[in-house]
Amino acid sequence: MKTSANKLENELFKSVYDKTPDYIKKLNLMDFSNKGEFTFTLKKEHLEPFDAEKNPEGLNLKEWFANYAKEAKVSTAGIRGPQNILYPQDTRFPINLVGIVLATLAKALAAKEKYIDKKIVKVAGREVRYNSELFLDAIARVQAANGIKTLVPEMRKTIPIWLASFLAFKMDLLGGEYITSSHGISVKNATKDLNSQGSQYLPEESMEFVNKIQQIFDETEKNGTYEIKISAEDNPLIDEKVLSNVDDGVDLYVEYLKSGVAQKSSLDLIKALNGKIVIENVGGSAYRTLNRVLKKLGISDKFVWFNIEEDPFFHSIGKYNKNGAFYDYSVDATVIAKRENGKKFFPVIETMHYDEKLKDMPIGTAVLITDPDHDRLTITQTESISRIPELEKAGIDYIQLNHDTILTVFTANQAFLMLMDFWAKQLKTQDLWNKHPRFMIKTTASAISWDEWAKKQGVKVVNVPVGFKEIANIMKKVEAQLGREVIVDDVFGNPINLGQDPRLLFGGEESGGMIMGTEELIKSQHGRYAVAMREKSATEAIIVASALISKLDKTPLSQYLVQIFDENEIIGRFDTRVDIAYYNESEPDINKLKTAKIEGEAKRTKNDLFYLSMAMGVKEEKMTLNNVKEVLNDAFKSLIFDNLVSIKFVGDGAYLELTDKYIEIRPSGTDAKTKAYGGGSDKGIIETYAENLGNYSGDRTELHKKFIDDKFYNETKDKAMEYYLAFVEKDANNAPFVIPEYNF
């Protein structure tokens, strides 16, 4: 059994080992320690469930595939799931070696069918999660066996997701594969499929290769077997030299940054900083790339690092032993939980031990927390305990570190409002602001303060469903109209006129991911143009945040945030997010996990349908807004919905607009969870509404049944999907990718 010097990690290993059956431990389906080429023979028996007597070769791949295909239709950020961290060939788990090989082969077959006799080149990267190195090796070798060239970092080391995305666009590649589960728990993993734009696959793109897997299974059933070739590890189609020549792409990325957020004015501010900014490097994998970027920008001496060693257990961050059971809160620093006494706390930040790590650093020290694939950022800062009354008045959360110091913890809604405001002021100072109309793209779940700020600043806002691929899809629609007046629809159904030749000021979401545009369009090596990159980047966020911190000098970020609220007369200053998890996704017993997840998904769907059916009911004139008020007032007798303005389906959930607040209820696209978001003028009120609506059982009341009949209720999800796809496809920029003549 694998062991660790970390006691908590050892408990995890032991638990996984004890709950893995012997037949899984003995599996040797494909041996990637074999450096030469070999063949994996998929058998008809593999498709059916394991039975010690009747089908000892059973892998139950049909069940695996059914769940995989279901998630591909709705996933917001790659097809994620738990894995057996000790035995990666365990097909009982959603993410496993066999599944990775099948999906890679299917994508390769789909690409070869589309680009006959063309030189197909993709990039592949990974962060630090368990089995990521193995999965990267498998992806590269399956692609090579199918004639696809794969660019990988030297020695196949870690790179961030945004760098893989950037390289796919900048180098005009057919796309890429990236292995991560973002800020999810340690035992989770996933592949994020990147298209030729460097954007994550939209559902219809995922379904292309999902259909190919079905064809592979059909052939296996028909013929009894299906042979999958794996190339040698040193196959020349697995190329480390191309990226090595540009320092893994860091050289190209620094050039891009200098045309955007890392202009001289920002770099000069950072260089003049008195003191240090801390980068909390969860998982360790961001350091390898980000440190090189900061050095090439000449600002690396302004930063100190926590956790630069790469660790798939993420330095125990977010991990607990709760009553003898291992529990993982993920590495999302903004997660808020409640103790048994009802008091709120930050379970992830609590495991970062800042009371000790920051004790010798001056008050005012900013700590920028990034996740393992380095696409999200959480901003925190130490302040004097005397600031507590002001923070509470402003709705800014904090943690007490000692008798005189607190750590303010900004939500992404608060942090990114500061960054977009600062960046707008930078553009104005440089006399650039009026050269182009400005617009931003945000998810509906993000703060209404962003919309209010944008209206005050004359910035147009395009609201989209949750998921950065949705933001990237709008970018592409804008680019298709450049050269004339640009008009795009938001997910509310409103046409938004962005003006002539607009520039993206900001694109982002409340979960901590953002991007900023450039003044000059970004040009790929073979002549494609973009208003911004397609994937969120914590590096961009860190540079803008660092310039702002330097500019403020001794002034706390929290004070600057309140100043923005006041300057822009923002009413919806407060925001909240409630995550309702219906099971412990850290459970190592896969049978218990599957059962709990199925039960949880049913609860999630029931909650979702209660609101979604009413949103669709209003849209299709099955009920009126007054009917909705009647239903909600009856179901939630302690709440008031008389001032409900609208209820709308927003691509992945229901959005309730009231005169003084909004509440959005959406099912997680990747797990058995419900997410409830709120924003408005009173923090206590929006928290109460989000808690109540998010935790509602979904039971249909008599009034609900009166307006929404069973047939309509049962068809709601399908109807909603039709509306979502119509939104995605309207004015879509679907110009086919043309493979260029590469010079490598």
Side-chain angles (χ1 to χ4, degrees):
M1 184 185 79
K2 187 175 183 179
T3 59
S4 169
N6 184 314
K7 183 181 177 183
L8 200 55
E9 186 177 30
N10 232 19
E11 288 178 18
L12 174 62
F13 288 161
K14 186 177 186 306
S15 182
V16 172
Y17 181 84
D18 290 344
K19 292 176 181 178
T20 302
D22 286 341
Y23 83 92
I24 295 291
K25 293 174 181 173
K26 293 174 183 174
L27 281 177
N28 190 21
L29 300 166
M30 46 187 101
D31 181 11
F32 278 88
S33 66
N34 176 358
K35 305 302 182 188
E37 61 182 56
F38 64 91
T39 300
F40 166 58
T41 302
L42 181 67
K43 300 179 182 179
K44 187 176 181 180
E45 290 80 1
H46 291 153
L47 307 183
E48 304 300 333
F50 170 81
D51 185 294
E53 295 181 3
K54 297 179 182 177
N55 190 23
E57 291 191 279
L59 298 176
N60 206 12
L61 287 176
K62 282 184 180 177
E63 182 183 294
W64 164 81
F65 178 59
N67 291 322
Y68 191 85
K70 181 176 72 172
E71 188 162 328
K73 293 179 182 178
V74 298
S75 178
T76 57
I79 300 169
R80 302 184 196 175
Q83 60 172 330
N84 188 323
I85 59 174
L86 298 182
Y87 300 96
Q89 298 189 54
D90 190 345
T91 56
R92 300 174 306 152
F93 286 80
I95 303 301
N96 61 79
L97 182 60
V98 180
I100 295 286
V101 166
L102 284 168
T104 304
L105 174 62
K107 280 173 261 191
L109 294 174
K112 288 167 67 178
E113 195 174 275
K114 205 176 276 187
Y115 296 97
I116 299 169
D117 297 328
K118 294 288 185 180
K119 181 179 180 180
I120 298 172
V121 185
K122 298 180 78 173
V123 64
R126 68 174 181 91
E127 41 124 317
V128 71
R129 289 175 182 273
Y130 295 111
N131 298 313
S132 295
E133 201 166 355
L134 169 64
F135 294 160
L136 178 61
D137 187 40
I139 288 167
R141 292 172 71 177
V142 169
Q143 290 186 164
N146 283 275
I148 294 175
K149 189 180 188 73
T150 307
L151 309 184
V152 294
E154 198 167 10
M155 297 175 65
R156 304 179 197 185
K157 290 182 179 179
T158 59
I159 56 172
I161 175 66
W162 50 257
L163 187 52
S165 167
F166 173 78
L167 289 167
F169 178 85
K170 188 70 176 177
M171 302 178 79
D172 298 288
L173 310 179
L174 187 59
E177 302 290 326
Y178 190 84
I179 301 147
T180 181
S181 191
S182 194
H183 55 287
I185 65 173
S186 287
V187 298
K188 272 191 167 185
N189 214 334
T191 52
K192 280 189 180 178
D193 310 304
L194 302 174
N195 60 26
S196 59
Q197 291 278 333
S199 173
Q200 295 171 32
Y201 276 19
L202 291 163
E204 59 266 32
E205 293 173 300
S206 294
M207 293 313 296
E208 285 184 10
F209 76 82
V210 165
N211 292 336
K212 282 293 179 189
I213 297 177
Q214 185 61 62
Q215 290 176 24
I216 292 168
F217 281 13
D218 291 345
E219 285 190 44
T220 305
E221 291 223 83
K222 179 182 176 182
N223 302 323
T225 60
Y226 185 100
E227 291 196 342
I228 300 174
K229 297 191 181 303
I230 315 292
S231 82
E233 188 182 57
D234 62 356
N235 187 300
L237 288 174
I238 304 172
D239 191 315
E240 296 181 1
K241 291 180 181 176
V242 170
L243 295 190
S244 179
N245 289 339
V246 287
D247 199 14
D248 287 342
V250 170
D251 290 341
L252 294 172
Y253 194 74
V254 167
E255 176 187 305
Y256 152 72
L257 288 175
K258 286 181 176 179
S259 70
V261 298
Q263 293 175 14
K264 184 177 183 299
S265 58
S266 293
L267 296 179
D268 286 347
L269 282 171
I270 299 169
K271 289 173 183 176
L273 173 68
N274 292 314
K276 303 282 187 180
I277 295 170
V278 176
I279 297 176
E280 171 65 80
N281 183 38
V282 178
S285 45
Y287 175 78
R288 182 174 174 270
T289 299
L290 179 56
N291 192 46
R292 284 182 285 170
V293 170
L294 298 177
K295 281 182 178 176
K296 290 181 189 230
L297 291 174
I299 55 176
S300 61
D301 62 317
K302 298 301 178 180
F303 299 89
V304 293
W305 295 79
F306 291 164
N307 297 315
I308 63 172
E309 305 81 13
E310 296 194 354
D311 176 15
F313 197 61
F314 306 151
H315 329 288
S316 299
I317 289 171
K319 318 293 189 294
Y320 288 80
N321 185 328
K322 295 176 69 174
N323 302 318
F326 176 77
Y327 194 86
D328 194 335
Y329 279 98
S330 83
V331 295
D332 182 351
T334 63
V335 166
I336 295 177
K338 286 185 178 178
R339 302 193 192 277
E340 291 181 3
N341 62 7
K343 188 176 180 181
K344 293 180 182 177
F345 75 111
F346 287 89
V348 177
I349 294 181
E350 190 173 87
T351 58
M352 291 172 171
H353 308 296
Y354 287 156
D355 54 341
E356 182 62 31
K357 288 185 173 181
L358 297 175
K359 69 179 182 181
D360 296 325
M361 295 188 181
I363 285 180
T365 298
V367 183
L368 309 180
I369 305 170
T370 186
D371 59 345
D373 63 343
H374 192 37
D375 60 353
R376 284 177 167 83
L377 187 70
T378 298
I379 298 177
T380 69
Q381 187 176 38
T382 58
E383 292 194 49
S384 166
I385 200 166
S386 64
R387 290 273 303 154
I388 287 178
E390 293 300 316
L391 297 176
E392 291 183 343
K393 183 180 176 183
I396 301 169
D397 291 314
Y398 61 89
I399 298 165
Q400 188 165 342
L401 298 180
N402 54 48
H403 66 279
D404 60 3
T405 309
I406 57 172
L407 182 76
T408 53
V409 182
F410 298 97
T411 66
N413 285 327
Q414 296 165 336
F416 291 170
L417 179 61
M418 290 189 281
L419 299 193
M420 67 179 80
D421 182 84
F422 170 70
W423 187 239
K425 286 172 178 169
Q426 288 289 93
L427 292 172
K428 290 173 183 177
T429 298
Q430 298 173 68
D431 293 326
L432 295 172
W433 181 256
N434 293 321
K435 289 195 173 182
H436 297 278
R438 305 289 165 176
F439 74 102
M440 60 188 283
I441 311 169
K442 63 176 278 285
T443 57
T444 55
S446 301
I448 53 173
S449 62
W450 296 3
D451 300 80
E452 290 187 66
W453 175 89
K455 185 176 181 180
K456 188 78 172 177
Q457 298 295 326
V459 175
K460 297 294 179 69
V461 180
V462 184
N463 276 281
V464 298
V466 170
F468 222 82
K469 64 185 180 218
E470 307 288 352
I471 293 172
N473 196 37
I474 295 295
M475 292 180 198
K476 289 166 58 184
K477 291 182 180 184
V478 170
E479 290 152 8
Q481 300 180 54
L482 289 175
R484 62 180 191 271
E485 197 171 57
V486 176
I487 302 173
V488 294
D489 281 12
D490 68 9
V491 75
F492 295 120
N494 305 311
I496 311 295
N497 189 326
L498 305 182
Q500 183 92 19
D501 203 23
R503 290 293 183 268
L504 181 74
L505 176 75
F506 173 88
E509 52 188 355
E510 64 75 41
S511 58
M514 59 152 279
I515 202 82
M516 286 180 166
T518 55
E519 287 303 290
E520 300 300 321
L521 295 177
I522 302 158
K523 185 179 179 182
S524 74
Q525 290 180 345
H526 293 272
R528 294 187 296 167
Y529 290 91
V531 295
M533 283 295 91
R534 312 311 198 193
E535 191 56 83
K536 49 195 174 288
S537 166
T539 289
E540 287 202 27
I542 284 170
I543 290 170
V544 180
S546 299
L548 170 59
I549 291 159
S550 304
K551 175 83 170 177
L552 292 175
D553 194 20
K554 303 293 184 185
T555 303
L557 286 164
S558 58
Q559 189 172 316
Y560 181 65
L561 178 62
V562 173
Q563 179 184 320
I564 295 169
F565 288 152
D566 292 341
E567 285 177 354
N568 295 276
E569 300 173 307
I570 290 171
I571 297 169
R573 301 182 177 206
F574 305 98
D575 62 87
T576 190
R577 185 186 78 203
V578 180
D579 294 338
I580 298 100
Y582 296 107
Y583 74 118
N584 175 15
E585 56 183 332
S586 305
E587 170 59 56
D589 185 319
I590 186 57
N591 294 319
K592 286 184 180 179
L593 189 72
K594 282 182 176 178
T595 301
K597 185 176 182 183
I598 290 169
E599 292 172 353
E601 286 174 338
K603 292 176 182 176
R604 174 197 69 185
T605 301
K606 195 175 171 186
N607 172 279
D608 174 40
L609 280 174
F610 182 76
Y611 308 106
L612 184 61
S613 58
M614 289 192 287
M616 295 301 297
V618 170
K619 191 172 186 69
E620 303 217 338
E621 300 182 347
K622 294 280 290 183
M623 63 191 302
T624 67
L625 186 64
N626 282 332
N627 297 150
V628 176
K629 294 178 185 179
E630 198 179 344
V631 172
L632 293 173
N633 281 327
D634 175 63
F636 302 96
K637 292 184 169 58
S638 63
L639 306 178
I640 298 170
F641 292 90
D642 295 344
N643 62 337
L644 183 71
V645 175
S646 68
I647 179 170
K648 293 183 178 180
F649 168 61
V650 287
D652 55 358
Y655 189 96
L656 288 75
E657 181 189 359
L658 298 93
T659 55
D660 59 345
K661 57 187 166 288
Y662 85 91
I663 302 293
E664 179 173 342
I665 308 295
R666 59 174 286 269
S668 169
T670 56
D671 218 330
K673 294 179 180 178
T674 290
K675 294 178 181 284
Y677 309 85
S681 58
D682 187 299
K683 188 169 186 178
I685 288 176
I686 61 172
E687 286 179 343
T688 299
Y689 274 73
E691 286 272 3
N692 278 270
L693 272 66
N695 281 286
Y696 183 58
S697 66
D699 289 341
R700 298 180 69 200
T701 61
E702 290 306 312
L703 273 175
H704 192 280
K705 292 175 184 176
K706 174 184 172 182
F707 300 115
I708 302 293
D709 59 56
D710 290 348
K711 183 175 185 293
F712 189 88
Y713 179 82
N714 293 326
E715 292 174 351
T716 291
K717 294 294 276 187
D718 291 336
K719 287 179 181 292
M721 180 58 75
E722 289 174 14
Y723 278 106
Y724 164 71
L725 291 176
F727 161 72
V728 169
E729 291 164 8
K730 185 178 181 184
D731 301 320
N733 182 355
N734 291 326
F737 176 65
V738 177
I739 292 179
E741 291 293 326
Y742 296 110
N743 55 8
F744 50 76

